[in-house]
């Protein structure tokens, strides 16, 4: 009986003694997390049936970000569910590009979905192709007024982002 009692006391004591405490990570003010910035370089007015360069410049402070993930989501006004995604490819020093052609007059919207340094931002821009009849343009929903989202850490949050996006529609 004494052996069992000794074992019941000794095992937890050994386990407590073997645990290692982590030191908190110290960060200076210079190392504070900065949100990456994205400047859309795509023209706001484009011609119909001509190749258009979707382009975004990604930077943080004064540093170009050349390892970001950039996807351009483009849809015609009022038809977001019919939109398309174009993968942005690094062209030069923080500038990502993809090509698209608008086959008819219309008002289009583009999100530059950008993930850099584990932070997701998505600036939005309106693009007018040709000479659309503005009386036929469908209004965008209240949810599309948002132009930046912080989705937390890493690309592994894509599922949460997709759920979030589906809730916006």
């Amino acid at each position: 009986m004494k052996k069992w009692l000794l074992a019941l006391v000794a095992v937890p004591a050994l386990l407590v003694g073997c645990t290692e405490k982590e030191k908190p990570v110290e960060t200076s003010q210079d190392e504070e997390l900065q949100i990456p910035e994205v400047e859309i370089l795509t023209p706001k007015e484009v011609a119909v049936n001509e190749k258009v360069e979707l382009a975004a410049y990604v930077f943080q402070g004064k540093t170009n970000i050349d390892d970001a993930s950039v996807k351009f989501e483009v849809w015609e006004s009022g038809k977001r569910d019919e939109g398309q995604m174009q993968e942005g490819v690094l062209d030069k020093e923080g500038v990502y590009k993809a090509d698209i052609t608008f086959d008819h007059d219309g008002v289009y919207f583009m999100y530059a979905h950008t993930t850099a340094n584990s932070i997701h931002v998505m600036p939005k821009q309106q693009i007018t192709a040709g000479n659309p009849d503005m009386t036929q343009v469908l209004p965008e929903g209240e949810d599309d007024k948002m132009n930046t989202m912080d989705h937390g850490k890493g690309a592994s949050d894509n599922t949460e982002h997709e759920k979030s996006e589906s809730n916006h529609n």
Side-chain angles (χ1 to χ4, degrees):
M1 180 76 172
K2 288 184 180 183
K3 289 181 183 178
W4 283 103
L5 185 58
L6 180 62
L8 288 174
V9 172
V11 170
L14 286 173
L15 291 175
V16 170
C18 292
T19 60
E20 188 176 314
K21 293 184 180 179
E22 288 186 30
K23 293 181 182 178
V25 177
E26 295 179 23
T27 59
S28 70
Q29 289 181 349
D30 294 336
E31 296 175 350
E32 283 186 33
L33 183 65
Q34 287 185 327
I35 296 176
E37 297 181 57
V38 179
E39 180 183 340
I40 295 177
L41 304 175
T42 304
K44 293 182 179 184
E45 295 182 3
V46 299
V48 175
N49 292 320
E50 289 185 18
K51 183 171 73 170
V52 174
E53 234 177 33
L54 305 176
Y57 172 51
V58 183
F59 59 100
Q60 196 166 18
K62 294 181 180 181
T63 305
N64 299 329
I65 299 178
D66 293 339
D67 61 351
S69 168
V70 179
K71 294 180 182 174
F72 298 100
E73 178 184 9
V74 181
W75 70 96
E76 188 171 2
S77 178
K79 300 178 181 179
R80 178 136 187 223
D81 58 333
E82 297 174 22
Q84 58 180 305
M85 292 291 255
Q86 299 281 352
E87 187 76 31
V89 176
L90 181 64
D91 181 57
K92 63 179 180 181
E93 301 177 344
V95 177
Y96 296 80
K97 294 182 177 180
D99 293 329
I100 193 169
T101 301
F102 298 100
D103 63 359
H104 63 275
D105 293 342
V107 174
Y108 297 84
F109 292 93
M110 175 187 75
Y111 273 130
H113 292 276
T114 306
T115 303
N117 301 328
S118 301
I119 297 176
H120 184 84
V121 293
M122 43 190 279
K124 181 180 178 184
Q125 178 172 303
Q126 179 175 318
I127 302 169
T128 303
N131 298 307
D133 178 358
M134 296 307 279
T135 63
Q136 299 298 313
V137 174
L138 300 172
E140 289 298 298
E142 290 294 317
D143 57 304
D144 286 325
K145 290 182 181 176
M146 171 184 58
N147 67 0
T148 305
M149 292 183 73
D150 176 357
H151 289 288
K153 305 276 183 184
S156 63
D157 288 339
N158 285 343
T159 307
E160 288 301 315
H161 172 68
E162 290 165 5
K163 288 179 188 174
S164 173
E165 284 297 303
S166 66
N167 290 337
H168 288 301
N169 290 331

